[in-house]
Amino acid sequence: MLSLSPSPSPPPLSSDSEDSGAEDDGLIISASSPSTDRTPIPTSRRQPSFSSSDSLSPPGLSTYHSELATSPITSVFTGPSTPSTYRMQPLAVGGGYTRPLPRTARLQQQQQRPRIGSSVDYDGIHEPPSASHMSPAQLYTTASGQLFHAGKVCIALVGLPARGKTHLAVSLTRYLRWLGVKTHAFHLGDYRRTCIPNEKEVPEDYFMVNASPETVLLRQRVMAACKSDVFKFFDEERGQVAIYDAVNPTSNGRRMLHKEFTQHGIQVLFIESICDRPEIIEANVRSVKISSPDYIGWDEKEAIKDYLRRISDKIPHYESLDETEFSYIKLYNAGERILLNNTRVGYLPNRIVFYLMNLQIKAGCVYFARAGRSTETRPKYKSDPHLSEEGLDYAKKLADTLLEHRRKEHKALEENGESVAERELIVWTSTRRRTIESAAEFENRGFSCRQRSQLSQLHPGSCDGLTREELEQTFPDEVENHAKDPYRHRYPRAESYHDLAVRLEPVILEMERIPNDILIVAHVSVLRVLYGYLMACQPNDIPKLEFERNEIVEIIPSAYTNRVKRINIPGVAPSESSSII
Amino acid sequence: MGAYSFHVENVQICVVMVGLPARGKSLIAQKIVRYLTWLSVKAKCFNVGNYRRIETAHPTADFFDVNNSEGERLRKMAAEAATADMFRWFDQEKGVVAILDATNTTKARRDWVLNLCRKRNIEPLFVESWCDDEDLILQNIIDVKTTSPDYVGQDPEQAALDFRNRIRNYEKVYETISERELTYVKLINVGSQVIINRIQSYLESRIVYYLMNLHIKPRCIWLSRHGESVFNVEGKIGGDSDLSPRGREYARQLPGLTKSSVGDQPLTVWTSTLKRTQQTAKYLPYRQLTWKALDELDGGQCDGLTYEEIEERYPEDFAARDADKYEYRYPGGESYRDVVIRLEPIIMELERQENIMIVTHQAVLRCIYAYFMNVPQDQSPWMEVPLHTLIKLEPKAYGTEVTRIKANIPAVSTYREKGQSALKK
């Protein structure tokens, strides 16, 4: 966030021990808050109800906090320039999760189809999943509503501050939700800040092993509040994976945690993030910890040193995981080395490790672009037309615009004094001529272009070639069913968006791994699903996402939230939606 | 060409097995080859033992003693011959993943392999199987002494004793991997601990993920096509038709047929989303799950046509499909390759699960069968899989055993031989 509580120097030690959570969140939001400027959304598209003063919580705080939010947390969270779009509605009447305030909407506003009241230019990863939540790539559910009979799992993070735990918690949440695992991250730091709103009132010995009895009581109160939400998530909200984001520095504390969760019938999987390369820790501190205004004017090296000194003063005792009877994963230097202990317990740990092998801290950005117009006005699924003259013109403008945009961005970075090499750009298309030819300009200019069969469009089945009106006449019942469950419903012989999402999983993991920037030119249905993953959209929003032909959509990743930016392609007409399902 | 769908980067990988004898290295190597080949990633195993046997067919344990310089020389020669062939394969046949199946138990030997790979820009991925679980080792020894060509025709007791001595000779010089700069995965006691170090590419992560999902408990997989459908009788492909009367009879007999093979073991049944597989599985008294990924190969524009009509309307397509059935994609539909890609999560889940019965369609069944039986791509689309037959697959260490159980209910044949015109009929 942009401003921590205005306090005189020396700077308060933010992100101390149970760490991460909202403090990190706050700081990371500060790093990403330019999104308000960087996301050029016409104000006319904004929902009128925004106001920057009517909400209290940052996105990291769900209504799990509601019972705790007796004291104002505004001192920590509210900054005048925190974008209002990050705010959540305070509290729902009658419990349960609140839906977030409508965000900037881009959902098919030009169309007559019913709109839903939420937006998608917003990374939904911090919203709690609803009780009936189904995920984009969920293969099937079991009678219990859970995936693969994997049981209830608590992933307890272990690690000192600045070891990338927040990034880990957020990324895992994104991937697991995508797979269909109802997942929520609980940041213990959030609970501490709610219980002790003023950072300065946190006792000096708060993180110490030999803390005073009062401090121990206080600590227990904070932990009890957090754990009670975790149990509520499992018991009342059919949660399957809770990510307990805390430092968990002592073996004793971990044993107690393990015992308590196990008694509740919850498996515990510890994931420890360890760094033994100072440059990684320093990069973490630089990017998320000292971007706070409190370090403004400090020499960067001094600020990093100061921050790390405070950490080691505050948390002098740290024991790495060594409890071999537990299931755990140790992640060294952001995945350079992964150690698994006793993780043969099931599907989820394996899946998590697979994901961790591909997870990169600094992923490049992803650009989405539509294919140009073809020689057929309404190309059928089975026809494979070439681009029209207009389409060829589009292909050229697409390349010009994107490459110019990248040049400018890079130049801006250099002017900021950052001497970073321009990231390599690679291009992926589907196997259809429209997309291949739309990317041909990039190939001509020496960029690597790959065709991928997984990127082919949603199969329209019997709806192929129909207009909206014809669809309604031919399959009136199906249209009605579709409206009830647009994500999962299959028109006759067609793929659902869910089918598409499952088929796209390898593409998604490669997106996570590849450090380069990637341009994906594909059918709108494919772009919707990939966007839905990166921005953690609600499944039912995904089929309604719009991608206009005169825009390149850029997703900029960062540890806490991903951001969207839209790049206009001059001289190209915005397109009406090309897909009826 | 988006040919290697799981092969993104232009990398060539050499999977270097590491471990003492009887640690399941060859089994792992075979499985990796099977999995990757099935995904159309060109993979091949180079077993140093096979090269050594050319000179020394039935060595005794002494041959493997570090102090036996002649043995050492012959073994080094075998390693050189195997790696030479391997690099030739990378070069000339554009191989993607080679598995160097040998003990590679010393750091010196690994450095030697590493340097050879580095010179050629090939990424080495070391896979070490480390085991001190005596029961597991014993079981492997029993397996080896009965199947290894080194001990053909020898007294099993004598073979076991000699093999133990051979292992001891290796143990004297064994250094487990600790080189932090290497890309490796170390499987400790069949995965009770795993160390994954410096994974460099998506393809490597897939290989490691696959290794993590393998289990060695005995289990079986049963495969069946759906019963004869109305479209089968009419000679049409694809569609979503109901079962014919004979198909319904198969559905009624399937529980008895299944029981005779499965007995009282627990079983889960997987079907596709199409009516004919669900109608076929209707009477099976087991837990059932429906997977879209098990739906039949999509015939696109040809869906619902007879082969005769296809040949008439799309003569060129008809010929193109015969020329390369695996790659041929129906206009607007799917190829066998497309089907394999969408079946990949199913295979991963099958590796994790125990007894499973799959009721699915001809093309899908051919693809799954090809995975377990290592059927090459030019043959798998042409395999004959008759209707009303239950196929039992029993994966064993060195291959999969197949049993076919016929239901004795007549059905039309949906099989068309390569090059056979539908019109001549």
Side-chain angles (χ1 to χ4, degrees):
Chain A
M1 53 170 284
L2 280 181
S3 67
L4 286 176
S5 46
S7 54
S9 51
L13 175 64
S14 40
S15 241
D16 30 41
S17 183
E18 293 111 351
D19 177 36
S20 79
E23 266 171 20
D24 283 356
D25 309 350
L27 290 169
I28 292 157
I29 289 170
S30 84
S32 64
S33 63
S35 63
T36 34
D37 336 317
R38 297 191 60 180
T39 313
I41 298 155
T43 40
S44 63
R45 289 214 169 121
R46 288 177 187 260
Q47 293 292 304
S49 55
F50 290 129
S51 118
S52 54
S53 59
D54 64 356
S55 53
L56 296 172
S57 317
L61 287 180
S62 68
T63 50
Y64 286 120
H65 268 273
S66 52
E67 312 105 282
L68 293 162
T70 45
S71 48
I73 48 175
T74 41
S75 61
V76 185
F77 296 122
T78 308
S81 39
T82 305
S84 59
T85 47
Y86 285 128
R87 301 314 176 80
M88 294 186 62
Q89 228 155 25
L91 186 56
V93 184
Y97 297 107
T98 44
R99 291 280 297 164
L101 279 179
R103 295 162 280 155
T104 50
R106 300 205 39 114
L107 292 175
Q108 304 205 331
Q109 284 168 315
Q110 305 88 332
Q111 300 193 12
Q112 287 86 36
R113 279 203 265 170
R115 281 205 39 227
I116 57 158
S118 104
S119 161
V120 288
D121 268 7
Y122 167 94
D123 189 352
I125 198 62
H126 302 292
E127 287 172 32
S130 65
S132 59
H133 181 77
M134 286 282 279
S135 293
Q138 188 159 338
L139 283 175
Y140 56 81
T141 48
T142 59
S144 62
Q146 297 181 335
L147 191 72
F148 288 105
H149 291 291
K152 298 172 182 174
V153 181
C154 175
I155 297 176
L157 300 185
V158 177
L160 288 168
R163 265 64 175 181
K165 290 200 302 302
T166 298
H167 177 60
L168 192 62
V170 170
S171 306
L172 274 178
T173 306
R174 191 185 304 283
Y175 180 66
L176 291 175
R177 280 195 191 171
W178 167 262
L179 280 182
V181 182
K182 193 166 175 185
T183 307
H184 195 76
F186 298 83
H187 308 286
L188 189 55
D190 290 351
Y191 290 83
R192 189 192 67 245
R193 277 176 290 272
T194 312
C195 292
I196 318 166
N198 189 345
E199 196 70 34
K200 287 191 188 152
E201 286 167 21
V202 175
E204 271 304 306
D205 60 350
Y206 187 82
F207 300 105
M208 301 201 180
V209 177
N210 52 351
S212 71
E214 297 79 38
T215 304
V216 171
L217 276 176
L218 180 65
R219 234 160 39 187
Q220 282 172 351
R221 193 157 69 90
V222 172
M223 278 172 67
C226 183
K227 277 188 250 169
S228 122
D229 277 355
V230 174
F231 291 131
K232 189 175 144 213
F233 174 68
F234 283 125
D235 297 341
E236 295 169 27
E237 288 140 20
R238 308 207 307 168
Q240 191 170 2
V241 171
I243 300 180
Y244 180 68
D245 177 14
V247 174
N248 292 316
T250 66
S251 176
N252 243 349
R254 293 192 292 263
R255 281 177 200 283
M256 278 157 64
L257 193 76
H258 187 272
K259 196 173 161 199
E260 190 177 354
F261 280 107
T262 310
Q263 278 169 355
H264 267 82
I266 299 161
Q267 283 182 65
V268 183
L269 171 68
F270 290 99
I271 304 185
E272 180 176 9
S273 183
I274 303 169
C275 286
D276 55 13
R277 287 173 192 271
E279 69 271 19
I280 294 181
I281 300 173
E282 282 171 21
N284 272 337
V285 174
R286 193 179 305 122
S287 66
V288 299
K289 309 289 183 184
I290 60 162
S291 53
S292 123
D294 303 295
Y295 278 112
I296 281 174
W298 282 62
D299 172 69
E300 192 179 82
K301 287 209 169 104
E302 285 301 312
I304 292 171
K305 243 164 94 184
D306 181 76
Y307 179 84
L308 292 175
R309 186 182 52 78
R310 282 156 172 278
I311 296 284
S312 57
D313 285 355
K314 281 227 166 185
I315 317 173
H317 302 283
Y318 180 81
E319 296 158 356
S320 187
L321 269 170
D322 195 25
E323 296 88 60
T324 47
E325 70 276 27
F326 295 163
S327 294
Y328 63 77
I329 298 172
K330 284 187 177 203
L331 201 61
Y332 294 84
N333 298 323
E336 185 180 286
R337 178 185 173 87
I338 304 171
L339 185 144
L340 318 180
N341 184 70
N342 263 333
T343 56
R344 283 194 73 86
V345 285
Y347 171 80
L348 276 176
N350 279 354
R351 205 73 208 196
I352 288 169
V353 173
F354 177 47
Y355 180 72
L356 293 177
M357 284 190 279
N358 285 291
L359 183 64
Q360 301 268 328
I361 284 194
K362 265 200 166 175
C365 55
V366 180
Y367 304 100
F368 295 122
R370 297 270 307 269
R373 283 186 192 284
S374 67
T375 49
E376 295 171 23
T377 18
R378 194 190 301 284
K380 288 189 113 184
Y381 180 79
K382 289 160 188 177
S383 64
D384 192 4
H386 291 278
L387 285 187
S388 64
E389 281 301 312
E390 189 191 341
L392 290 170
D393 180 58
Y394 164 82
K396 188 169 175 310
K397 284 174 174 154
L398 169 66
D400 288 343
T401 308
L402 184 61
L403 296 175
E404 178 57 22
H405 169 76
R406 288 169 55 79
R407 261 192 300 276
K408 274 192 195 151
E409 297 254 295
H410 189 245
K411 210 172 149 210
L413 278 181
E414 283 185 333
E415 279 165 8
N416 263 338
E418 294 179 49
S419 60
V420 281
E422 198 167 341
R423 275 196 306 266
E424 198 187 324
L425 175 72
I426 56 167
V427 184
W428 291 351
T429 68
S430 77
T431 52
R432 290 286 197 265
R433 288 189 185 119
R434 271 163 286 170
T435 65
I436 299 165
E437 291 172 10
S438 295
E441 274 298 315
F442 289 94
E443 189 141 38
N444 293 343
R445 298 180 200 189
F447 291 91
S448 132
C449 296
R450 283 198 58 233
Q451 298 169 31
R452 313 212 45 191
S453 66
Q454 290 110 320
L455 287 174
S456 52
Q457 73 175 86
L458 182 127
H459 196 303
S462 309
C463 307
D464 193 20
L466 300 186
T467 62
R468 182 77 200 163
E469 292 70 37
E470 286 164 347
L471 179 72
E472 277 162 10
Q473 278 164 15
T474 322
F475 303 110
D477 297 347
E478 298 289 344
V479 170
E480 203 172 297
N481 290 337
H482 187 84
K484 286 181 202 146
D485 188 3
Y487 190 75
R488 253 151 251 282
H489 173 259
R490 287 187 191 108
Y491 277 105
R493 319 279 342 273
E495 269 183 316
S496 65
Y497 275 88
H498 173 250
D499 298 329
L500 181 57
V502 171
R503 138 156 94 77
L504 285 173
E505 207 214 324
V507 176
I508 284 172
L509 278 163
E510 286 176 35
M511 260 174 17
E512 292 278 13
R513 158 168 284 284
I514 290 179
N516 310 339
D517 293 342
I518 311 170
L519 166 66
I520 299 176
V521 184
H523 187 261
V524 67
S525 53
V526 172
L527 302 185
R528 283 171 178 158
V529 171
L530 297 178
Y531 184 99
Y533 169 78
L534 288 170
M535 300 305 288
C537 297
Q538 296 291 326
N540 279 345
D541 288 353
I542 289 174
K544 297 170 187 151
L545 294 170
E546 266 313 315
F547 291 84
E548 289 179 32
R549 200 167 266 132
N550 65 343
E551 272 182 344
I552 301 164
V553 174
E554 177 181 10
I555 313 276
I556 304 150
S558 77
Y560 192 70
T561 57
N562 292 342
R563 288 176 298 122
V564 180
K565 187 169 178 176
R566 291 167 190 273
I567 306 155
N568 182 261
I569 309 174
V572 175
S575 52
E576 73 289 359
S577 173
S578 65
S579 89
I580 54 157
I581 60 173
Chain B
M1 256 314 288
Y4 301 131
S5 301
F6 288 86
H7 178 216
V8 189
E9 307 95 331
N10 288 321
V11 287
Q12 292 181 308
I13 295 170
C14 175
V15 175
V16 187
M17 301 305 302
V18 175
L20 293 169
R23 263 65 178 180
K25 292 188 304 298
S26 295
L27 174 67
I28 294 170
Q30 290 308 323
K31 280 240 166 198
I32 297 174
V33 171
R34 170 183 309 182
Y35 174 67
L36 294 175
T37 306
W38 186 75
L39 289 175
S40 301
V41 176
K42 198 165 181 178
K44 191 172 175 185
C45 182
F46 295 83
N47 181 303
V48 172
N50 289 341
Y51 287 83
R52 188 255 305 146
R53 268 185 285 275
I54 298 169
E55 289 284 326
T56 322
H58 303 291
T60 58
D62 299 341
F63 181 82
F64 301 93
D65 190 329
V66 268
N67 298 317
N68 180 345
S69 60
E70 177 60 8
E72 185 74 12
R73 192 183 66 83
L74 288 171
R75 285 192 293 142
K76 185 73 193 274
M77 266 175 58
E80 280 166 2
T83 48
D85 272 2
M86 178 175 80
F87 291 123
R88 205 170 300 131
W89 177 78
F90 272 127
D91 262 9
Q92 293 173 4
E93 297 183 41
K94 302 285 167 258
V96 178
V97 179
I99 291 101
L100 185 62
D101 183 10
T103 50
N104 296 311
T105 38
T106 63
K107 187 170 179 303
R109 178 56 62 88
R110 292 195 290 271
D111 281 345
W112 177 73
V113 177
L114 184 70
N115 286 329
L116 290 176
C117 287
R118 291 252 164 95
K119 262 191 232 160
R120 293 163 176 84
N121 263 334
I122 287 162
E123 291 272 351
L125 164 63
F126 291 85
V127 175
E128 178 171 0
S129 177
W130 191 96
C131 182
D132 65 357
D133 180 331
E134 283 301 326
D135 289 347
L136 223 67
I137 296 169
L138 193 68
Q139 196 173 343
N140 261 324
I141 289 174
I142 293 166
D143 228 25
V144 169
K145 75 166 189 236
T146 51
T147 52
S148 167
D150 283 351
Y151 295 110
V152 171
Q154 295 193 22
D155 169 46
E157 289 305 314
Q158 197 57 40
L161 189 69
D162 183 82
F163 193 59
R164 277 171 183 279
N165 286 332
R166 183 197 293 195
I167 295 173
R168 247 167 240 135
N169 275 328
Y170 273 105
E171 279 170 346
K172 286 180 205 158
V173 291
Y174 182 28
E175 299 162 283
T176 184
I177 300 180
S178 57
E179 298 95 304
R180 284 194 68 172
E181 72 286 358
L182 293 187
T183 295
Y184 68 84
V185 52
K186 194 189 285 199
L187 306 160
I188 298 166
N189 286 332
V190 199
S192 72
Q193 268 205 347
V194 180
I195 298 168
I196 301 165
N197 199 56
R198 286 188 180 269
I199 293 302
Q200 302 289 333
S201 65
Y202 176 75
L203 185 55
E204 288 173 353
S205 82
R206 273 226 89 87
I207 295 170
V208 175
Y209 176 52
Y210 176 71
L211 292 177
M212 285 164 32
N213 276 302
L214 295 181
H215 73 76
I216 48 166
K217 282 185 212 154
R219 59 83 177 261
C220 294
I221 291 153
W222 287 266
L223 305 173
S224 172
R225 288 177 66 185
H226 54 79
E228 182 187 77
S229 73
V230 174
F231 264 34
N232 288 153
V233 176
E234 294 169 353
K236 293 175 181 167
I237 68 164
D240 189 10
S241 64
D242 291 314
L243 293 184
S244 72
R246 289 192 299 202
R248 289 200 295 275
E249 179 55 29
Y250 178 66
R252 275 189 289 274
Q253 288 198 18
L254 192 53
L257 209 61
T258 307
K259 176 92 181 170
S260 72
S261 179
V262 178
D264 294 325
Q265 301 173 70
L267 181 71
T268 301
V269 179
W270 294 354
T271 63
S272 79
T273 65
L274 297 169
K275 282 191 283 189
R276 52 194 187 276
T277 64
Q278 292 176 15
Q279 288 171 4
T280 304
K282 194 160 81 175
Y283 305 109
L284 289 168
Y286 307 99
R287 191 168 74 111
Q288 300 199 7
L289 296 169
T290 302
W291 300 74
K292 175 76 178 167
L294 289 173
D295 281 3
E296 179 60 311
L297 184 145
D298 182 356
Q301 287 172 358
C302 298
D303 189 76
L305 301 184
T306 63
Y307 281 126
E308 202 174 350
E309 288 166 328
I310 297 171
E311 192 172 355
E312 261 173 17
R313 289 190 210 173
Y314 306 100
E316 283 170 19
D317 277 274
F318 196 77
R321 187 158 198 256
D322 270 9
D324 190 350
K325 198 173 176 186
Y326 189 80
E327 295 290 351
Y328 171 80
R329 185 185 276 137
Y330 276 110
E334 287 180 308
S335 65
Y336 271 84
R337 178 186 296 284
D338 295 337
V339 173
V340 162
I341 289 169
R342 73 162 142 96
L343 280 176
E344 201 270 350
I346 297 268
I347 291 296
M348 205 62 98
E349 195 53 20
L350 266 178
E351 285 292 353
R352 282 181 22 76
Q353 297 286 342
E354 295 183 19
N355 292 329
I356 297 286
M357 175 166 174
I358 304 177
V359 181
T360 179
H361 308 265
Q362 179 165 256
V364 174
L365 204 141
R366 280 173 175 154
C367 294
I368 297 173
Y369 188 88
Y371 169 77
F372 283 103
M373 303 304 293
N374 264 338
V375 185
Q377 278 169 16
D378 58 339
Q379 291 168 27
S380 62
W382 296 102
M383 268 186 311
E384 193 168 359
V385 189
L387 285 164
H388 301 173
T389 306
L390 189 60
I391 299 173
K392 179 186 177 189
L393 300 178
E394 198 172 356
K396 293 263 172 90
Y398 288 92
T400 308
E401 285 177 14
V402 189
T403 322
R404 288 181 186 236
I405 309 152
K406 285 206 153 284
N408 208 13
I409 301 166
V412 293
S413 168
T414 56
Y415 185 71
R416 187 184 65 83
E417 270 175 44
K418 186 170 184 169
Q420 176 194 335
S421 167
L423 293 174
K424 283 175 203 152
K425 275 187 168 178

